Amino acid sequence: MIVAFSISPTTGDETGSVSEAVAAAVRVVKESGLPYELNSMFTNVEGEWDEVMAVVKRAVDVVAEVSPRVGLVLKADIRPGYDGQLTAKVERVERLLGD
């Protein structure tokens, strides 16, 4: 499965930035060893249901350590029997576009 998720702490630094809290969450994903990619809006992570959801929970817990309230947006593509889709889905579309 691929999960796209975004964690939003309700508190930031004096400028309103939440980059440090988000970086702590992404560090959890990175240290999990699961395939992932980071973009400006979401972190995408690929793996089995239990391992992906455990990573998302740990990432939320890390952000909750510095914020009294945490928002989570999560979208999942559940397709049993397929892996490597984090890049394969994009490659298929790029091939059709001739890129």
Side-chain angles (χ1 to χ4, degrees):
M1 80 183 305
I2 298 173
V3 168
F5 72 101
S6 175
I7 298 173
S8 303
T10 58
T11 57
D13 65 18
E14 62 279 352
T15 69
S17 175
V18 295
S19 297
E20 286 188 35
V22 171
V26 174
R27 190 170 298 112
V28 167
V29 176
K30 185 176 182 177
E31 291 173 354
S32 76
L34 295 175
Y36 79 97
E37 62 183 16
L38 176 66
N39 61 56
S40 62
M41 297 293 292
F42 287 91
T43 301
N44 302 322
V45 62
E46 183 173 15
E48 296 299 320
W49 181 278
D50 290 341
E51 60 189 1
V52 169
M53 292 305 175
V55 168
V56 172
K57 182 183 183 327
R58 283 195 306 273
V60 168
D61 290 346
V62 165
V63 173
E65 291 175 6
V66 297
S67 180
R69 190 173 186 178
V70 179
L72 172 66
V73 176
L74 187 142
K75 180 177 180 179
D77 180 2
I78 303 160
R79 194 174 184 196
Y82 288 81
D83 60 4
Q85 296 302 296
L86 197 62
T87 55
K89 290 172 73 168
V90 175
E91 290 167 357
R92 286 191 297 272
V93 172
E94 287 177 343
R95 205 169 30 253
L96 292 170
L97 293 171
D99 291 349

